[in-house]
Amino acid sequence: MREALTGDSTLGGQQPRKHYGITSSISLAFPREIDHIYTQKLTEAIEPFGVFEGEDELNHRLAVLGKLNSFVKEWIAEISESKNLPPSAVANVGGKVFTFGSYRLGVHTKGADIDALCVAPRHIERTDFFSSFFEKLKRHDEIKDLRAVEDAFVPVIKFKFDGIEIDLLFARLLNIALQSIPDNLDLRGDSLLRNLDIRCIRSLNGCRVTDEILYLVPNKENFRLTLRAIKLWAKRRGIYSNMLGFLGGVSWAMLVARTCQLYPNAVAATLVHKFFLVFSKWEWPNPVLLKQPEDSNLNLPVWDPRVNPSDRYHLMPIITPAYPQQNSTYNVSTSTRTIMSEEFKNGLTVTDEILQGKADWSKLFEPPNFFQKYKHYIVLTASASTEENHLEWIGLVESKIRVLVGNLERNEYITLAHVNPQSFPGSKENHNENEFVSMWFIGISFKKLDNSDCVNIDLTYDIQSFTDTVYRQASNINMLKDGMTIEATHVKKKQLHHYLPPELVQRKKKSLGEINRSSNGGGSKRCSLDGSQLDSSRDTDIGTPFSSPTLVSKPCQPVSSPEDSSITPPNHPVLVFIDNSPTASEVSPPKPEQGMSIPVIGSSKLPITTPVAKPPAPPAGNTIPTVVGRSVIPRITSSSPSPTELPNSVNGAPKRPHSPSQEDPPKRHKDTEVFSDDSAFKEPYPPNSNGLDCEARPAVEGLSATKPMPIPTIDTSRSQRLPSKELPDASSPIPTSNLRVIKNSIRLTLNR
């Protein structure tokens, strides 16, 4: 068994002292009595949020997993017999269900799903899993809501077993020594990956990463309580979503695990504070590593910026400890990293107050008022005509919202695009054909103007390229159906009451009892068609721990005469005047008072109060498939470069002009250094000033002579990374059947 501890010799020829991780610990101090008291108070503070499961629920999960394990063994034996294996082999063929993610880590919440993996011997094929096993599940009385996602990045069967949601992956092992699957099988050995196809490797990755994390922490109970608190904090603060460019469950687990390695004897209250201390001062994009990466000579792609130029563009790398090592934060963008960095600093300030006795732990878990934070918002609306279509459609749209955020970030006048991970239901009253509606809100910060009084900002290209990506993906996977639409609307803060209930728009503190009741509210789990393996835990509770409101005001429509009330906004450019002055919120807005739709359906009539300008020619090759099922054939020209191929602006990197024409893709930065050693994987020692323990300083100074070389990263967009298999090539044609395609010019006028 591999050794998780690393030895380093101490001064004076003393016995080598063991430590966890790739550097020595910052502090080995044991907890004081006051630390135990603060930890008890922390436990009491997070308990009302439903983060702990009762004994009955836990026993129910164990019973369900036992039934599923027996069910899998029975199925494997049946398939083995049908494939003419001898009876002696059939009797011992085995098979096992492994768990991973939050349940395996021991930090799952009430009502959370279970991520599981079915491991079968070599003669069981993946096609058997998605055919005969699927049919066997279908005949089981306790199985409900059964669906298979065979073409996902990580193929999965989803179902409810006696009320417990389960996501079941599949992997078969080809190791010659494993003619059967024993109950004591350990998946941590790299040799198990030999000769496996990539889908089996991805499926095994979740279990291998989870097991490795648990193996690399010094105290599992302290780790678990700390992780529960940090995950709750991240959800409450709106930064828990791998899909939208924040961090997912496995990434938060690795950050907490690294904190535990640096403070191996600390209890949870101390670890929560040290977590914010370490990562508020972390110098990204230096990577977070739990162990020195190992090469198993299996020729699998691993995260290595010395070899892969695309890896140098990752903004916030957190590297999984199991081979093949991957960056679990592949989706992080400039905006999301900025938002999380601010939250780390805010968390440090709050925990400082708590440990000084100036505040309670409840302050750490207060949600931010997202809808008071920005002056301008983009409302993204996804609609479908049936509930089943709606669940599929919003899964795809949500997985691509980070593309829109990236487009907005590259606009030279936008400094931040902040997406709220929580989606909200739309009002059916304003959608005759589309009965099921979901909305996402993106807060926008514009650059302050210095010399010019007025600047026109064109978001047409940003919206067009995003909708092109979504519709192209939907067409490629044959998802596109009648009634599926996307609409983007610009609104000011004062107009949000048209979309949201008053209690969300106006800050109103709830009592702890109200928060607890809402956190336990229902909500159907949506299928993520993104299928990313980056967040191996694939936690389903990616939103804040309170359910979406069910009562929503009617979405606003442009002001028009009564006879125009049934007509959608016109196919004309819309000038929206944005006052960026400090008193903007106090100035009466020009009419129309409500939000302006961005992709809209054409009309021959104009609202008389809408300012109209001559539409400029849109960039060549860009179309907006806005509504499905209108029997209008779009005009398609040559495809333009994909927006995801353009670099983000990070630390002064050039941004895309706000009114782009057909541009050449940016040239790749020429590599100026060649790295031949392992220095790229050396984790920089966390800063030891501004509050870190004094006793750690001699150890840091002692390492100064052999200071690790910084990782070769280029702090700009991830856009130059290797193309994702889940995204179609930019040259893929936009679907041409049954689509209404409208070209609009959306201009915002920014006043100083």
Side-chain angles (χ1 to χ4, degrees), residues 172 174-176 191-198 201 298:
R172 64 174 186 145
L174 302 180
N175 196 318
I176 298 177
S191 61
L192 293 176
L193 303 179
R194 196 175 304 278
N195 300 324
L196 294 189
D197 67 75
I198 189 63
I201 292 174
L298 297 179

Side-chain angles (χ1 to χ4, degrees), residues 374-378 408 414-418 442-446:
Y374 302 98
K375 291 183 179 180
H376 306 282
Y377 295 84
I378 287 178
L408 295 172
I414 293 177
T415 58
L416 189 75
H418 182 178
I442 303 174
I444 303 294
S445 289
F446 290 98

Side-chain angles (χ1 to χ4, degrees), residues 462-478:
D462 304 325
I463 302 299
Q464 283 180 339
S465 55
F466 165 69
T467 53
D468 284 357
T469 299
V470 175
Y471 279 99
R472 185 183 294 116
Q473 175 79 356
S475 177
N476 285 356
I477 62 177
N478 298 318

Side-chain angles (χ1 to χ4, degrees), residues 648-696:
N648 274 341
S649 174
V650 182
N651 296 340
K655 289 194 173 189
R656 178 185 56 74
H658 65 282
S659 299
S661 58
Q662 195 77 1
E663 299 174 349
D664 294 329
K667 295 181 180 180
R668 175 175 292 177
H669 293 270
K670 186 176 180 181
D671 300 336
T672 56
E673 295 181 85
V674 178
F675 295 85
S676 58
D677 60 6
D678 290 335
S679 60
F681 286 117
K682 296 288 196 304
E683 181 185 46
Y685 201 87
N688 63 332
S689 59
N690 299 325
L692 289 180
D693 299 74
C694 297
E695 61 187 287

Side-chain angles (χ1 to χ4, degrees), residues 94-139:
K96 187 176 179 181
V97 172
F98 293 84
T99 59
F100 61 99
S102 61
Y103 179 79
R104 175 70 180 92
L105 288 173
V107 296
H108 62 284
T109 57
K110 289 181 180 178
D113 73 338
I114 296 177
D115 296 305
L117 169 69
C118 170
V119 176
R122 59 185 303 149
H123 61 275
I124 306 295
E125 303 281 347
R126 183 174 296 275
T127 53
D128 297 326
F129 179 72
F130 282 99
S131 56
S132 62
F133 184 69
F134 184 83
E135 292 300 321
K136 188 176 178 66
L137 286 173
K138 199 183 283 187
R139 295 190 296 268

Side-chain angles (χ1 to χ4, degrees), residues 270-565:
T270 305
L271 288 169
V272 169
H273 177 247
K274 299 303 183 184
F275 171 89
F276 293 118
L277 180 60
V278 170
F279 294 109
S280 64
K281 302 178 186 301
W282 197 269
E283 296 181 356
W284 305 106
N286 288 313
V288 174
L289 296 159
L290 296 182
K291 58 180 287 188
Q292 198 69 28
E294 301 170 355
D295 187 4
S296 297
N297 297 318
L298 297 179
N299 295 322
L300 295 176
V302 298
W303 185 87
D304 189 346
R306 302 165 303 176
V307 177
N308 307 318
S310 59
D311 291 344
R312 304 172 195 173
Y313 294 88
H314 294 177
L315 302 180
M316 201 174 177
I318 303 173
I319 309 307
T320 56
Y323 179 84
Q325 298 84 14
Q326 301 294 321
N327 177 20
S328 66
T329 59
Y330 185 87
N331 294 331
V332 169
S333 68
T334 312
S335 290
T336 54
R337 185 180 69 171
T338 299
I339 294 161
M340 287 186 285
S341 296
E342 288 302 312
E343 288 295 342
F344 288 144
K345 294 174 184 176
N346 178 70
L348 177 61
T349 301
V350 173
T351 51
D352 277 339
E353 294 178 4
I354 293 170
L355 297 185
Q356 292 169 10
K358 298 178 181 179
D360 296 326
W361 282 109
S362 58
K363 184 175 181 180
L364 182 64
F365 306 110
E366 290 178 357
N369 197 335
F370 175 81
F371 298 106
Q372 289 294 321
K373 190 172 184 180
Y374 302 98
K375 291 183 179 180
H376 306 282
Y377 295 84
I378 287 178
V379 184
L380 185 63
T381 305
S383 309
S385 55
T386 69
E387 185 175 10
E388 183 180 358
N389 290 350
H390 181 245
L391 287 173
E392 282 190 312
W393 185 232
I394 62 176
L396 176 65
V397 172
E398 186 175 35
S399 72
K400 297 293 175 279
I401 289 177
R402 64 179 184 268
V403 175
L404 176 58
V405 171
N407 293 348
L408 295 172
E409 284 177 347
R410 286 187 287 272
N411 190 296
E412 62 177 323
Y413 292 108
I414 293 177
T415 58
L416 189 75
H418 182 178
V419 58
N420 187 342
Q422 185 182 7
S423 63
F424 298 87
S427 172
K428 297 180 182 179
E429 298 176 10
N430 291 277
H431 299 270
N432 296 329
E433 294 185 42
N434 306 307
E435 299 177 22
F436 299 90
V437 183
S438 291
M439 299 183 298
W440 292 267
F441 292 81
I442 303 174
I444 303 294
S445 289
F446 290 98
K447 184 172 68 175
K448 292 183 179 179
L449 303 178
D450 295 327
N451 300 322
S452 58
D453 292 330
C454 183
V455 172
N456 292 327
I457 302 175
D458 192 351
L459 298 181
T460 307
Y461 178 82
D462 304 325
I463 302 299
Q464 283 180 339
S465 55
F466 165 69
T467 53
D468 284 357
T469 299
V470 175
Y471 279 99
R472 185 183 294 116
Q473 175 79 356
S475 177
N476 285 356
I477 62 177
N478 298 318
M479 181 197 291
L480 214 52
K481 297 180 178 67
D482 289 352
M484 290 182 172
T485 66
I486 314 174
E487 184 179 28
T489 306
H490 166 263
V491 298
K492 294 183 179 180
K493 179 170 64 176
K494 67 187 75 175
Q495 300 164 347
L496 289 172
H497 66 277
H498 294 287
Y499 298 84
L500 297 165
E503 60 267 21
L504 285 176
V505 178
Q506 299 174 355
R507 188 175 185 91
K508 178 183 177 183
K509 290 189 178 181
K510 294 184 178 181
S511 67
L512 194 58
E514 289 175 323
I515 294 171
N516 185 31
R517 285 193 293 274
S518 61
S519 68
N520 293 328
S524 60
K525 180 183 174 186
R526 297 197 300 262
C527 170
S528 166
L529 297 178
D530 187 56
S532 174
Q533 92 283 21
L534 301 176
D535 183 5
S536 304
S537 69
R538 299 185 305 114
D539 287 14
T540 58
D541 46 356
I542 62 171
T544 49
F546 47 85
S547 57
S548 300
T550 55
L551 176 62
V552 179
S553 303
K554 292 174 61 176
C556 60
Q557 295 180 350
V559 178
S560 60
S561 58
E563 61 268 25
D564 291 339
S565 60

